Amino acid sequence: MLTMPVPDGAVLSRRAEIVTALRRIVPGEGVIDSEEERRVYESDGLTAYRTLPMVVVLPETVDQVRRVMRYCSEHGIKLVPRGAGTSLSGGALPLADGVLLGMGKFKRILEIDIANRCAVVQPGVTNLAITHAVQDQGFYYAPDPSSQIACTIGGNVGENSGGVHCLKYGLTTNNVIGIEMITIDGEVVRLGGKHFDAAGYDLLGVMVGSEGLLGVVTEVTVRLLPKPPGARALLIGFPSVVGAGECVAAIIAAGIIPGGMEMMDKLAVQAAEAFVHAGYPLDAEALLIVELDGCEAEIDHLVAAVEDIAGQHGATSCRVSQNEAERLNFWAGRKAAFPAVGRLSPDYYCMDGTIPRRRLGDVLARMKQMEGQYKLRVANVFHAGDGNLHPLIMYDANQPGELERAEEFGNDILRLCVEVGGVLTGEHGVGVEKRDLMGTMFDDTDLEQQQRLKCAFDPDSLLNPGKVFPQLCRCAELGRVHVHAGQTRFPELPRF
Amino acid sequence: MTSFRPTSAAEVAEIVTWAAAERQPLEIVGGGSKCGLGRANRPEHRLEVAALSGILDYEPPELVLTAQAATPMRAIAAALDAERQMLAFEPPDWSALLGTSGSEPTLGGVVATNLAGPRRVRAGAARDHFLGFAAVNGRGEAWKAGGKVVKNVTGYDLCKLQAGAYGTLSVLTELSVRVLPRPEQECSVLLAGLEDEAAIRAMAAALNTPHEVSSVAHLPAAVAARVAGPAGAGGSLTVLRLEGPGPSVAYRAEALQAEALRQGRECHLLDHASSTAVWAAIGAVQPLLARTDSVVWRVCPTPASAASVLHAIQAARIGAEGFYDWGGGLLWVSLAPDQAGDDCGAAIVRGAVAAAGGHAMLLRAPDPARASVPVFQPEPASLRALAQRVKSGFDPVGILNPGRMQEGV
């Protein structure tokens, strides 16, 4: 299990005084003090970890956020920002000696600007609510994480959320064009806007995916896209996962970037089929869902091409959705894959590594070996187009030691992802979950450089400490310049 | 002045370590094609990384290419072309604009200046395709960030920060970028004779259709004739580009033309080769290359306000000509050098942009002007202070391209 920074006794002893001060900034029910009500916020989507926050603040105005942050900054109090609390990596895990800053009351869509193809929204607006607000005009917001009904755009910015359509349409970072944020010392900063690109450093690009460690987002400008006129999905069964993987590579090599391309292994297929009856082929070792979108002429052309490629790669079944209801039904099984696996096992642990797709066969074979070693089963769901794996490790938290075994298994899978040239997390974020594995992907110099960026924004390390980095930031030490004048001398250099 | 020519990342680190210890500023040069970009204050020494060249890993179905920083764009384009792939952000060729036809643009330079061509509206800029890198920071430490896969959120997204930092934060030594299949077909629909305001609305309307228009530009009558080829000579041209599989492009071109005819507009169709040529010319800023001594601004206004920005600049009578790319999101403006004034028109151009929202970069001007006029849009004090802290986090003694973007950065 991970350890969090030891709570600061001096801060805890001032709790009553801190609550009073916060109430002066956010009146009424916006400051949550009672243990019972704080309990609601003790964890996020990574439910294995729970901490009761010192106090919860739910501001309603930008000025309140600014003043809360300034107060925390002046008094050396840690602060954890939170959107809807759907993080799967513990990004919003509270701190026992920290303020939990819930942005859920920032729910307004401020502007829909069709001429500039963007919308300006508050951070507590849910991902799906943006699409709902613009779909009558023929638009949508492209990134669609599976939690999109609940997750907020502020959280999406924090985590750089993806979804099943990101191979073609990009992640949050490619679809957010401006933000207003508050720095830890309470300064309001605007980055980007309705225009393209930054005048100076692309700090907007850095804020997206910074997991709440650099600032608190109070407004987001998102790019809107015209809804594709049509979409059709293919359901393709394969006798082996490796064969399905080769088919994916062949589709891309043929110049086709599908709107979505998802793979499930046999266990995931069977679980999903038993749960939602999507008509999945139960004999297949692997199932591919390929969605092609665009005008009818394009869809016809690409469906024929993909059917052809699937045939050449030994597909045992191939069905094309005949109408919108059938297309949605094909997806229903995939979208329900996590809860479906949840029915097979009391608990499951969802991983999120990315690998170069060419290594899929090796990685799955090694994972099979590990199943034996850890005596736990795994169902696999992947975003096949971009090599993002979501192995679901099944365990029973009531069996002593099983959670620890599942976590160790998960860590081994992620180490394997890095070993084959991939990364620890494709879309869920590092949070607390993968924090202690950062060293497998980055060396000390890499991590120090990342932390020096943190120091530029938050020199006292008050924003979401204990997340992402295995060691707490020591800005004074990291900022020191060690010059060894005299050790390397100019005359020795002409060989360059 | 000394020129250092390292042949490996380790040698880059050794040189930067020396420069940091001796506080000797370095100008980082790859192919030298972008030396005229940014503020003109030449550091004492040149760090010429041209030897760090070559593609290290490229497997087309992975959609990732890894190369050393100074790999010439020509070599990258040739490798991608052979596999019918591309850099979707379509880095434009500014050699004629900058008068650097003799030097080679490199991958590192393209990313460090965050270039983007006409496909920006659909495919993004270099930043959106930059997946990972190895670099040397201003302490002389070799470090890395990001990865070699297309989907990755492990740690801060430092690729975004390096893209467009003009080498002020680290010396890039190796880069991984996302590549994509090249569209099978391309064509463009030309609308003739629209006034600027009407053209801005027509471009927005085209981008707002579901027809996946991938580039949109408007060339006012004064500059349209300088783009070789297109029909409708004499009047303005609004160009809408379509790319994709053959049957899809044909269908969408038909739909766009039908819509134009319904609105009583004159329209023409450019075939694949002509379309490619027109977009290359637009990316290369060819409509403004009639004079080699004009002052050139690259303006990124709020797209729907672009015409009002150009008109406000033209109203100041400083010999302004301009055209619109990115549906109005990119406005190129040239000014007559003898009329632009000592500030190269900065007060007028930036005043016009301020009213609309956006920023303006002084892209081409004589060296003395680019030393005295802020080349990049000045930022509010809070942001400037933050940028300075970011810079010192990477380059604490300020030796990597110091002052290339802003004083003190």
Side-chain angles (χ1 to χ4, degrees), chain B residues 98-236:
Chain B
L98 297 171
T100 54
S101 301
S103 45
E104 289 262 22
T106 63
L107 182 63
V110 159
V111 169
T113 52
N114 191 32
L115 289 194
R119 208 185 277 117
R120 175 75 175 90
V121 284
R122 182 148 292 271
R127 76 186 284 278
D128 296 291
H129 300 266
F130 186 24
L131 302 173
F133 61 87
V136 173
N137 65 18
R139 297 164 179 265
E141 297 165 341
W143 68 288
K144 64 182 179 300
K148 293 178 183 176
V149 290
V150 294
K151 201 166 172 199
N152 175 20
V153 295
T154 319
Y156 298 127
D157 189 351
L158 295 178
C159 291
K160 298 289 182 297
L161 192 58
Q162 297 298 323
Y166 281 74
T168 59
L169 298 177
S170 276
V171 186
L172 293 169
T173 54
E174 179 187 313
L175 299 85
S176 292
V177 289
R178 181 165 69 144
V179 301
L180 283 169
R182 203 174 60 199
E184 181 185 309
Q185 267 298 329
E186 161 173 356
C187 75
S188 288
V189 173
L190 285 184
L191 306 176
L194 296 182
E195 293 299 323
D196 290 11
E197 293 284 0
I200 293 289
R201 286 194 299 273
M203 289 193 288
L207 285 171
N208 287 347
T209 65
H211 298 313
E212 296 190 75
V213 175
S214 62
S215 310
V216 271
H218 174 69
L219 310 176
V223 302
R226 294 181 202 146
V227 176
S236 73

Side-chain angles (χ1 to χ4, degrees), chain A residues 33-50:
Chain A
D33 181 26
S34 82
E35 180 174 335
E36 191 187 346
E37 287 175 278
R38 278 185 287 147
R39 196 58 74 188
V40 175
Y41 296 90
E42 69 180 355
S43 77
D44 58 15
L46 185 70
T47 49
Y49 292 86
R50 290 166 198 275

Side-chain angles (χ1 to χ4, degrees), chain B residues 278-296:
Chain B
V278 164
W279 288 108
I282 289 170
V285 203
Q286 198 173 295
L288 298 185
L289 296 183
R291 292 180 65 162
T292 53
D293 62 346
S294 57
V295 167
V296 176

Side-chain angles (χ1 to χ4, degrees), chain A residues 349-428:
Chain A
Y349 187 36
C350 174
M351 308 309 297
D352 172 48
T354 304
I355 56 166
R357 240 183 307 91
R358 63 192 180 221
R359 303 300 302 272
L360 184 63
D362 312 341
V363 168
L364 291 176
R366 295 268 297 274
M367 238 190 261
K368 258 282 164 283
Q369 289 172 4
M370 289 181 201
E371 285 190 65
Q373 182 189 335
Y374 286 101
K375 301 191 172 44
L376 293 171
R377 282 194 304 165
V378 174
N380 272 298
V381 175
F382 330 121
H383 301 302
D386 42 35
N388 187 196
L389 311 181
H390 290 315
L392 304 169
I393 303 171
M394 294 178 241
Y395 70 98
D396 181 353
N398 288 326
Q399 299 299 321
E402 269 207 18
L403 168 64
E404 289 72 18
R405 223 157 70 224
E407 285 188 324
E408 205 34 56
F409 188 176
N411 289 347
D412 268 357
I413 292 174
L414 295 181
R415 287 188 194 103
L416 175 60
C417 290
V418 173
E419 183 195 315
V420 301
V423 300
L424 293 174
T425 170
E427 58 182 356
H428 294 172

